[in-house]
């Protein structure tokens, strides 16, 4: 996985007159949500979408005191900075929707290729699902027209539109709730297509997304969030995954809503606890994210937005008017939260720190976040005003991203040539000042630090592949960009697996990786890469006498006989085991001693799986028996687990040793005043 170097940079690495060069940028991509508008509108079911001109269009079911029928209203915000446009008085009743709507049936609005469609169910004088349309970005509306009438006078418990002239809804059936849908075919709406899956016990809202002809539905049964899919091409319904399984009836999960921006889906839903079981009373949105609508993060709460009927996340890159600028909004009835969207040209969000770097150190070790420590020159307090404070965000703030590129001056005439070697999240910022100097110390870790977060809820899985479970654990921690090897091990089925509540995600991931000997690291583009190590791997770099410092060593204190036991067979002798063994005969012959290692893993169900695990464990023991360390000039090409060749000088200058080994850790040191740019590599056997 060595990084590719430009030819001039490769040549510079072999030059005795090379000069190091670096670039260090900081960018604040965090959405710092804070209250933006407080219209104080009474709580009700609602939805929102972005019109083609950049206006925010909202709909709501204004509740009545009769608890039976409400009023369907619309609101258009062209300038989000204007409080008057968010006010309760700015809501306008849609034609024919005054006092006749099912106020507990939910509602939806979507931009269908420039045509806005708003949906709600009639609650008085019939139970039709109605639709209103706007051809001018929500300035005026026509309708209502009937989509269809749910059978048996059924009431609707959730409505969603994916923006493809479609509508999905939860509705009452015998035994619970079902999901149905209808599509506009140019002249009218199609007949009801009802799902073929078992009914739900209850309905607490619905969200939808579309990719081609495949629709993904996220639904609530009041306590859990789950998915199903509908293939419009063949009418096939399929069960999906559990996003948030219900473990108790303490926490309600209601009103799921989906949005999509920057390649990620954001799912909002209200988590509510009445306090009857726990004694804790709350109701606030939780925001989860997903890359593929299958694997979801456990998300982040917005405790400041107390609400009961859902929250809609809506990024607005270019408002129709005003000076609000690019922002992301979280919409509830009482309060609107907002945060500026990242712009690389905004000096309050991005900054080049390269000229101020006095020194830095970066460390990479398996099983922990890579770490970057940077010392900046802050003479005359030049960076004081660029450090974030509570409520006032600047580029130098906790959670901002540091991006490091390393290289050398190369070519004729020499010009700076470098490649990106890491991205890190700023976790500490220290002012260091004395009468003689003024400096800033930045400490950052790569994004795998999120694996050390604790799981909020327990999640159980049965009969899933290793690839699925690794993807799931990473997504739960908020890591969506992963690269898995195309090996047989990834397709092996794990009978059962549990992510424990209160357990770090890293513990769950390490347990999965240790099943079949996988290792992982985060590359410079923040892709979490998984590898299965092989002793036949070709070296990517060769070091000869230019090594500045060399330590080569080995140890015999390792196992040479591995015994792995899996889950006992379900039938046969009660003493039967599922077992396999692996031997290192050469090592037994060398040391004249058998060293045993026993390993038990109930995720292994066959002897062939146990044999694979025994082989991986033996290879691990063999690699650990060799420990080396070298100090060499900074080489930005090398990463964790790369294989390199060492060839030491012959006697009397050197040891004459030549061996191939693997990088198990690296430390880079740069000190500008000393002209120092070196790399220390910790190495193990191949």
């Amino acid at each position: 996985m060595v990084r590719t170097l430009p030819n001039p940079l490769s040549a510079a690495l072999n030059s005795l007159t090379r000069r190091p060069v670096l670039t260090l940028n900081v960018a604040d991509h965090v959405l710092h949500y804070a209250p933006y508008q407080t219209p104080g509108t009474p709580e009700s079911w609602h939805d929102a979408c972005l019109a083609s001109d950049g206006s925010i269009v909202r709909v709501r079911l204004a509740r009545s005191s009769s608890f039976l029928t409400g009023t369907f209203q619309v609101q258009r915000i062209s300038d989000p900075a204007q409080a008057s446009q968010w006010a309760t008085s700015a809501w306008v009743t849609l034609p024919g929707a005054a006092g006749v709507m099912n106020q507990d049936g939910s509602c939806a609005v979507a931009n269908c290729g420039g045509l806005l469609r708003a949906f709600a169910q009639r609650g008085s004088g019939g139970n039709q699902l109605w639709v209103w349309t706007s051809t001018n970005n929500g300035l005026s509306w026509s309708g209502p027209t009937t989509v269809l009438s749910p059978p048996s006078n059924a009431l609707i418990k959730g409505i969603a539109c994916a923006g493809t002239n479609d509508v999905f809804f939860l509705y009452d059936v015998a035994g619970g709730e079902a999901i149905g849908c209808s599509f506009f075919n140019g002249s009218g709406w199609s007949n009801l297509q009802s799902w073929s899956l078992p009914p739900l016990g209850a309905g607490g809202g619905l969200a939808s997304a579309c990719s081609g002809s495949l629709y993904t539905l996220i639904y609530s049964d009041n306590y859990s969030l789950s998915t199903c899919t509908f293939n419009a091409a063949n009418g096939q319904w399929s069960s999906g995954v559990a996003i948030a399984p219900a473990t108790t009836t303490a926490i309600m999960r209601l009103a799921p809503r989906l949005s999509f921006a920057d390649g990620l889906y954001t799912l909002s839903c209200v988590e509510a606890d009445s306090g009857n079981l726990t004694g804790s009373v709350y109701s606030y949105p939780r925001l989860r994210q997903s890359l593929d609508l299958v694997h979801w993060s456990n998300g982040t709460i917005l405790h400041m937005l107390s609400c009961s009927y859902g929250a809609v996340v809506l990024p607005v890159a270019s408002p129709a008017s005003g000076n609000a600028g690019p922002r992301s909004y979280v919409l509830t009835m009482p309060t609107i939260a907002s945060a500026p969207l990242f712009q690389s040209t905004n000096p309050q969000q991005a900054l080049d720190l390269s000229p101020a770097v006095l020194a830095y150190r970066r460390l990479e070790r398996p099983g922990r976040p890579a770490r970057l420590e940077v010392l900046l020159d802050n003479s005359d307090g030049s960076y004081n005003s660029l450090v974030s404070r509570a409520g006032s965000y600047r580029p130098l703030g906790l959670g901002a991203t540091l991006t490091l590129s390393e290289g050398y001056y190369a070519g004729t005439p020499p010009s700076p040539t470098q490649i990106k070697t890491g991205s890190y999240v700023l976790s500490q910022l220290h002012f260091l000042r004395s009468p003689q100097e003024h400096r800033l110390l930045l400490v950052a870790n790569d994004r795998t630090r999120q694996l050390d977060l604790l799981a909020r809820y327990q999640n159980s899985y049965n009969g899933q592949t290793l690839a699925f479970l690794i993807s799931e654990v990473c997504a739960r921690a908020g890591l969506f960009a992963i690269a898995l090897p195309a090996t047989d091990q990834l397709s092996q089925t794990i009978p059962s697996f549990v992510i424990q509540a209160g357990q770090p995600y890293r513990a769950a991931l390490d347990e999965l990786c240790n099943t079949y000997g996988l290792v992982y690291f985060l590359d410079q583009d923040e892709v979490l890469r998984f590898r299965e190590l092989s002793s036949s791997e070709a070296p990517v770099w060769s070091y000869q006498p230019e090594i500045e410092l060399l330590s080569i060593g080995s140890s015999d204190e390792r196992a040479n006989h591995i015994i792995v036991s899996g889950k006992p067979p379900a039938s046969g002798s009660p003493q039967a085991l599922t077992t396999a063994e692996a031997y290192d005969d050469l090592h037994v012959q060398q040391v004249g001693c058998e060293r045993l290692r026993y390993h038990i893993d109930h995720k292994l169900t066959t002897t062939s799986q146990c044999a694979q695990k025994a082989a991986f464990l033996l290879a691990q023991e063999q690699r650990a028996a060799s420990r080396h360390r070298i100090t060499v000039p900074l080489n930005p090409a090398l990463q964790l687990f790369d294989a390199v060749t060492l060839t030491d000088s012959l006697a009397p200058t050197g040891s004459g040793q030549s061996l191939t080994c693997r990088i198990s850790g690296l430390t880079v040191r740069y000190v500008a005043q000393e002209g120092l740019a070196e790399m220390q590599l910790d190495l193990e056997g191949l």
Side-chain angles (χ1 to χ4, degrees):
M1 299 303 297
V2 65
R3 300 184 185 99
T4 301
L5 298 181
N7 290 334
L9 186 53
S10 296
L13 279 171
N14 297 316
S15 169
L16 296 178
T17 60
R18 58 183 172 259
R19 289 185 296 148
V21 64
L22 67 90
T23 299
L24 182 68
N25 294 309
V26 62
D28 186 4
H29 295 274
V30 179
L31 290 173
H32 301 286
Y33 284 115
Y36 185 72
Q37 302 287 355
T38 54
T41 306
E43 286 269 42
S44 62
W45 290 101
H46 64 101
D47 195 14
C49 74
L50 192 65
S52 299
D53 68 344
S55 298
I56 298 171
V57 177
R58 309 175 71 198
V59 294
R60 71 159 183 162
L61 283 166
R63 304 180 68 81
S64 69
S65 58
S66 68
F67 298 105
L68 295 175
T69 55
T71 297
F72 196 32
Q73 296 183 316
V74 66
Q75 185 184 69
R76 180 176 182 271
I77 296 96
S78 60
D79 182 0
Q82 297 298 317
S84 60
Q85 295 191 17
W86 299 94
T88 303
S89 59
W91 290 94
V92 177
T93 300
L94 287 164
V100 296
M101 307 305 296
N102 174 11
Q103 66 182 13
D104 288 312
S106 188
C107 56
V109 63
N111 186 335
C112 299
L115 178 70
L116 300 185
R117 296 189 183 277
F119 301 88
Q121 185 186 30
R122 185 175 182 178
S124 175
N127 76 326
Q128 300 99 322
L129 175 59
W130 277 347
V131 59
W132 288 258
T133 58
S134 173
T135 59
N136 55 9
N137 299 308
L139 288 169
S140 62
W141 294 82
S142 61
T145 58
T146 298
V147 175
L148 53 78
S149 295
S152 304
N153 294 316
L155 293 178
I156 287 176
K157 303 295 179 63
I159 305 175
C161 176
T164 60
N165 294 310
D166 62 276
V167 61
F168 291 82
F169 48 93
L170 277 166
Y171 67 101
D172 295 334
V173 294
E177 309 291 331
I179 295 179
C181 60
S182 178
F183 299 88
F184 189 78
N185 56 24
S187 59
W189 290 87
S190 66
N191 293 330
L192 171 67
Q193 298 184 62
S194 185
W195 76 348
S196 55
L197 303 176
L200 305 175
L206 186 69
S208 64
C210 180
S211 177
S213 62
L214 187 67
Y215 290 84
T216 298
L217 291 308
I218 299 173
Y219 57 87
S220 163
D221 63 2
N222 285 346
Y223 296 102
S224 67
L225 290 176
S226 301
T227 71
C228 69
T229 60
F230 174 73
N231 191 328
N234 57 20
Q236 181 69 41
W237 294 86
S238 302
S239 296
V241 299
I243 299 173
T247 53
T248 70
T249 57
I251 300 175
M252 299 187 73
R253 297 181 175 92
L254 304 169
R257 291 297 185 194
L258 269 175
S259 65
F260 181 79
D262 297 329
L264 288 178
Y265 293 92
T266 296
L267 170 66
S268 67
C269 86
V270 170
E271 292 188 353
D273 189 342
S274 65
N276 291 337
L277 296 179
T278 65
S280 177
V281 180
Y282 58 79
S283 181
Y284 49 66
R286 178 177 289 273
L287 306 185
R288 294 175 168 86
Q289 290 187 310
S290 175
L291 182 70
D292 56 8
L293 296 171
V294 175
H295 304 287
W296 291 87
S297 71
N298 265 353
T300 303
I301 63 169
L302 292 181
H303 192 262
M304 60 185 166
L305 294 180
S306 180
C307 62
S308 302
Y309 289 90
V312 181
V313 178
L314 201 61
V316 181
S318 180
S321 63
N323 58 3
R327 303 185 71 87
S328 180
Y329 299 88
V330 183
L331 313 177
T332 70
M333 286 291 98
T335 306
I336 313 300
S338 183
L341 293 173
F342 175 76
Q343 292 181 290
S344 59
T345 57
N346 185 349
Q348 302 303 313
Q349 294 179 313
L351 182 65
D352 182 1
L353 299 173
S354 309
V357 175
L358 297 174
Y360 72 83
R361 183 176 69 154
R362 65 176 175 97
L363 302 92
E364 297 180 19
R365 302 289 186 273
R368 68 186 71 175
R371 181 181 175 94
L372 178 69
E373 302 167 356
V374 183
L375 190 64
L376 298 179
D377 183 3
N378 191 34
S379 299
D380 301 321
S382 55
Y383 287 105
N384 289 0
S385 62
L386 297 172
V387 175
S388 290
R389 293 172 176 81
S392 177
Y393 299 105
R394 299 292 184 268
L396 284 168
L398 302 181
T401 300
L402 293 173
T403 302
L404 176 66
S405 297
E406 297 170 320
Y408 291 95
Y409 283 89
T412 305
S415 61
T417 305
Q418 54 201 315
I419 61 170
K420 183 164 66 172
T421 53
S423 294
Y424 309 86
V425 180
L426 186 57
S427 58
Q428 298 179 40
L429 190 151
H430 304 273
F431 285 95
L432 307 177
R433 197 189 69 77
S434 72
Q436 291 78 33
E437 60 186 19
H438 196 176
R439 297 178 177 180
L440 274 175
L441 174 63
L442 309 181
V443 179
N445 301 98
D446 75 20
R447 211 165 292 275
T448 60
R449 70 178 195 155
Q450 293 172 203
L451 291 170
D452 297 314
L453 299 175
L454 303 183
R456 173 66 175 89
Y457 302 109
Q458 177 172 302
N459 290 270
S460 301
Y461 308 88
N462 294 309
Q464 295 288 0
T465 64
L466 181 61
F468 178 95
L469 292 172
I470 287 176
S471 300
E472 179 73 2
V473 172
C474 293
R476 291 286 171 183
L479 300 171
F480 303 106
I482 69 172
L484 295 170
T487 60
D488 293 339
Q489 285 71 27
L490 272 297
S491 62
Q492 298 287 344
T493 298
I494 305 296
S496 63
F497 187 76
V498 178
I499 302 176
Q500 300 283 354
Q503 178 190 48
Y505 296 107
R506 190 182 299 277
L509 183 60
D510 287 347
E511 181 182 350
L512 290 170
C513 289
N514 290 338
T515 305
Y516 291 111
L518 293 173
V519 297
Y520 60 88
F521 68 98
L522 195 74
D523 73 8
Q524 66 278 0
D525 297 317
E526 297 193 304
V527 176
L528 190 57
R529 297 193 175 274
F530 291 81
R531 294 184 60 187
E532 178 187 319
L533 303 182
S534 170
S535 59
S536 61
E537 191 171 324
V540 299
W541 207 269
S542 177
Y543 283 107
Q544 296 180 2
E546 75 269 24
I547 299 172
E548 298 175 6
L549 185 64
L550 171 70
S551 170
I552 296 177
S554 59
S555 169
D556 79 327
E557 294 184 358
R558 65 174 177 88
N560 50 34
H561 182 188
I562 309 293
I563 303 175
V564 173
S565 296
K567 186 177 181 179
S571 59
S573 170
Q575 289 81 32
L577 297 174
T578 304
T579 300
E581 302 182 43
Y583 303 86
D584 187 344
D585 294 326
L586 290 178
H587 187 259
V588 173
Q589 296 170 11
Q590 180 182 15
V591 300
C593 178
E594 179 188 24
R595 295 183 182 272
L596 285 172
R597 177 177 175 181
Y598 289 97
H599 183 84
I600 299 174
D601 189 343
H602 285 174
K603 296 191 293 301
L604 308 176
T605 59
T606 67
T607 54
S608 62
Q609 290 178 343
C610 291
Q612 287 178 323
K613 181 64 174 286
F616 292 140
L617 291 176
L618 183 60
Q620 183 184 75
E621 294 284 343
Q622 292 171 332
R623 287 194 300 270
S626 299
R627 292 293 179 183
H628 321 299
R629 176 174 291 176
I630 62 173
T631 301
V632 294
L634 167 63
N635 185 345
L638 297 180
Q639 302 185 90
L640 279 180
F641 307 116
D642 283 344
V644 298
T645 297
L646 305 183
T647 302
D648 195 14
S649 303
L650 297 175
T653 305
S655 64
Q657 296 289 312
S658 179
L659 63 158
T660 301
C661 42
R662 189 180 303 278
I663 298 175
S664 61
L666 62 86
T667 303
V668 172
R669 292 180 62 231
Y670 170 87
V671 182
Q673 291 180 330
E674 300 176 8
L676 177 68
E678 68 178 18
M679 172 181 281
Q680 184 183 87
L681 299 179
D682 294 317
L683 305 164
E684 63 183 13
L686 188 61

